[in-house]
Amino acid sequence: MHPFHHAASDPGRPAIIMAGTGETLSYAGLEARSNQVAHLLRQLGLARGDTIAVMMHNHIDFLPICWGAQRAGLIYVAMSTKLTPDEAGYIIADSGAKAVFASAALAGVAAAAAPDLPDAARLVIGGAAPGFTPLGAALAAQPETRIADESTGRDMLYSSGTTGRPKGVRGPLPEGPIDAPDGLTGLVAMLYQFSPGMMYLSPAPLYHAAPLRYCMAAHKFGGTVVVMERFDPETYLTMVEKYRITHSQLVPTMFVRMLKLPDDARAAHDLSSLKVAIHAAAPCPVDVKHAMIAWWGPVIYEYYSATEGAGFTSITPQEWLAKPGSVGKSILGTIRVLGDDDQLLPPGQTGRIYFHGGGTFSYHNDAEKTASVTGEHGATFGDIGHVDDDGYLFLTDRAAFMIISGGVNVYPQEAENALTLHPEVADVAVFGIPDAEMGEAVHAVVQPRDMASAGPELEAELLVFIRGRLSHVKCPKRIDFMAELPRHDTGKLYKRLLKDQYWAKV
């Protein structure tokens, strides 16, 4: 259950393939590179429990850096590539990072974010940058053998900050050998058939929790990870066919973009190798998932969890077809649904979702934030929903996004799911805006497939479309258009940024 075993038994097997260039790193190469990283970190003075930050685009060195930190007993913080210097500086300072690994294109941001680190502790990948040491040169001076004091490290990932400053999600540093089994490896073997010889396609940024953790899990099984530099719907289908991909993980916006490809483009690719396509991170409209299962077959699995790892639900494609819209039954923690009075609600009633008795976590340097989402009923990810009589969880929306219009609770996810189905809609956000009479009014911002079509005629067409599918109280009163919505690469929408523009006018 560690890459060093596969480097010994099958050294030539590809561990990482970059989809765009075909650049390949074997298991022997991964072993050598991660050992060099571990030696470099020791040379820089980092010891067990210290922290590094990784601010990189998808690159062949990304995972070896994380494996080097893992075997050196360090905490590795993978950071978004979209951060401003202020945002990046907050995470670097908050995490206590003693070294930063940055892509050359992000070196300016990283330098501004970590002005007090010495040049030797600022490593640049993919080019040169003032104030940084090239990673290739730094590693070339290091041995490829294992360090003498290996111990198990782990990630500390920051929440995406869709409703405020991100917080580092911290769990205990693992004890025991670096190849000790962990909960995730057992989970993916049981639920998703991870096994030796698997071919795993990762289309999302590696700095996000699920892509990083699942790619590293695939390495524990000796699988080959094909990393896309960036997602493109037709390129994704090409990679599945080219490498005979068996496993992948996606987000619903990727499904939507692939479904909107021309029929001949969709039909041109052999996807028969796919055994498991996992999705999570954001709600998937029921009609979109029905369409994907009709196209790919019963290979689409879903889970509901979060970086915090306090709970986990899972649902197979067969279960989902029987319970459309569900995110499954809990396999980590007992689901509790609480009303506004903090009392437990029975099956079928909607309230805040908590997981009791699941995984433990804390927000780094923020006991108040930790206390706000944990308590006697367990921990919450901030979502609203209900459990049916069979124990299946159905999510309604995030509590922070609920709209109260004329005293009526409106969950915008329903309207977003409906508008997504219109052929002229590339993306959509629905939220509440100030209204003198109703308190809040339901409002939509749409990213059209062609911005030239934006205007009163398309707005009228979309309003008629959604009013034919939902009660009028759930429908937007008005629709604005935007060339691109502020969406995280993992599929999460930065709705707060849109709402703030409207509430700032009050």
Side-chain angles (χ1 to χ4, degrees):
M1 288 297 180
H2 194 279
F4 77 76
H5 291 294
H6 310 299
S9 63
D10 194 3
R13 178 171 175 79
I16 305 167
I17 301 173
M18 298 304 297
T21 63
E23 186 179 6
T24 300
L25 188 68
S26 68
Y27 268 94
L30 175 59
E31 174 69 4
R33 193 86 55 97
S34 63
N35 281 330
Q36 289 176 313
V37 170
H39 279 286
L40 173 63
L41 294 169
R42 288 289 186 265
Q43 180 180 296
L44 292 172
L46 277 73
R48 177 173 169 82
D50 285 337
T51 302
I52 66 168
V54 182
M55 192 176 187
M56 292 172 56
H57 297 108
N58 286 4
H59 187 278
I60 201 159
D61 281 327
F62 197 119
L63 293 170
I65 290 168
C66 295
W67 278 119
Q70 186 271 347
R71 68 195 310 157
L74 302 187
I75 296 161
Y76 44 102
V77 177
M79 298 168 57
S80 169
T81 58
K82 305 292 180 63
L83 300 176
T84 65
D86 175 68
E87 292 168 327
Y90 160 77
I91 292 176
I92 289 171
D94 185 72
S95 68
K98 295 184 176 180
V100 175
F101 295 76
S103 294
L106 300 171
V109 175
D116 298 329
L117 288 180
D119 291 2
R122 296 196 296 195
L123 290 305
V124 66
I125 296 92
F132 284 77
T133 299
L135 179 64
L139 294 184
Q142 304 299 326
E144 297 180 354
T145 54
R146 295 165 68 170
I147 59 174
D149 59 340
E150 284 184 333
S151 66
T152 310
R154 65 164 298 151
D155 63 52
M156 180 172 74
L157 303 179
Y158 278 68
S159 62
S160 55
T162 56
T163 56
R165 275 285 201 188
K167 296 297 177 186
V169 179
R170 183 148 191 171
L173 201 60
E175 301 290 342
I178 63 172
D179 60 346
D182 59 31
L184 180 60
T185 51
L187 190 75
V188 295
M190 176 182 69
L191 295 179
Y192 307 130
Q193 307 159 49
F194 275 36
S195 59
M198 65 184 290
M199 298 292 296
Y200 184 86
L201 178 58
S202 184
L206 291 173
Y207 61 74
H208 185 60
L212 177 60
R213 291 171 178 170
Y214 277 63
C215 284
M216 294 181 77
H219 280 157
K220 291 183 179 182
F221 287 90
T224 296
V225 175
V226 180
V227 178
M228 294 180 68
E229 288 84 351
R230 62 193 60 81
F231 177 75
D232 171 79
E234 195 153 7
T235 302
Y236 178 91
L237 299 176
T238 299
M239 292 299 106
V240 172
E241 181 174 23
K242 178 178 180 179
Y243 291 108
R244 304 300 295 160
I245 296 298
T246 59
H247 294 71
S248 187
Q249 183 163 181
L250 309 98
V251 294
T253 53
M254 296 174 181
F255 289 159
V256 172
R257 290 182 63 187
M258 286 188 284
L259 286 168
K260 290 185 177 180
L261 288 171
D263 289 345
D264 58 346
R266 289 171 51 188
H269 301 280
D270 177 6
L271 310 179
S272 61
S273 61
L274 263 177
K275 297 178 180 178
V276 176
I278 309 160
H279 76 93
C284 184
V286 170
D287 289 348
V288 168
K289 189 160 176 179
H290 270 303
M292 287 301 301
I293 292 175
W295 178 14
W296 286 7
V299 300
I300 299 178
Y301 294 73
E302 183 172 1
Y303 70 84
Y304 166 65
S305 187
T307 306
E308 289 82 351
F312 192 103
T313 73
S314 177
I315 192 165
T316 67
Q318 293 80 10
E319 288 176 300
W320 188 90
L321 288 170
K323 300 273 189 180
S326 174
V327 295
K329 289 184 172 182
S330 179
I331 58 175
L332 176 63
T334 301
I335 299 173
R336 294 185 174 181
V337 183
L338 301 186
D340 292 338
D341 58 359
D342 289 336
Q343 297 301 304
L344 289 171
L345 296 175
Q349 292 196 22
T350 297
R352 288 169 290 136
I353 305 299
Y354 280 75
F355 286 90
H356 183 263
T360 59
F361 72 95
S362 63
Y363 290 116
H364 186 56
N365 292 335
D366 200 331
E368 183 179 348
K369 172 69 172 176
T370 305
S372 73
V373 298
T374 57
E376 63 174 307
H377 292 294
T380 180
F381 303 145
D383 292 312
I384 299 291
H386 73 273
V387 176
D388 72 6
D389 291 330
D390 298 320
Y392 285 86
L393 176 62
F394 292 77
L395 298 178
T396 304
D397 213 327
R398 291 192 63 79
F401 297 153
M402 185 180 72
I403 303 165
I404 303 176
S405 183
V408 177
N409 292 350
V410 178
Y411 298 102
Q413 184 183 315
E414 287 185 274
E416 290 169 352
N417 289 352
L419 283 169
T420 295
L421 301 176
H422 192 282
E424 294 303 316
V425 173
D427 203 356
V428 59
V430 176
F431 49 90
I433 64 172
D435 184 271
E437 180 182 357
M438 306 297 284
E440 286 184 283
V442 183
H443 188 76
V445 176
V446 164
Q447 175 185 324
R449 292 188 71 186
D450 180 2
M451 194 62 189
S453 68
E457 289 187 10
L458 181 56
E459 179 186 19
E461 181 180 336
L462 293 176
L463 289 174
V464 170
F465 179 82
I466 191 170
R467 287 170 183 167
R469 287 159 173 78
L470 296 177
S471 65
H472 285 205
V473 71
K474 299 178 180 179
C475 296
K477 305 297 182 288
R478 238 176 8 95
I479 297 175
D480 291 335
F481 297 96
M482 182 178 286
E484 185 174 3
L485 297 189
R487 190 176 284 275
H488 192 283
D489 288 327
T490 59
K492 291 182 180 179
L493 187 68
Y494 287 107
K495 198 176 290 188
R496 175 178 54 85
L497 300 180
L498 294 171
K499 289 183 67 174
D500 287 352
Q501 297 176 32
Y502 290 86
W503 286 89
K505 299 173 185 176
V506 176

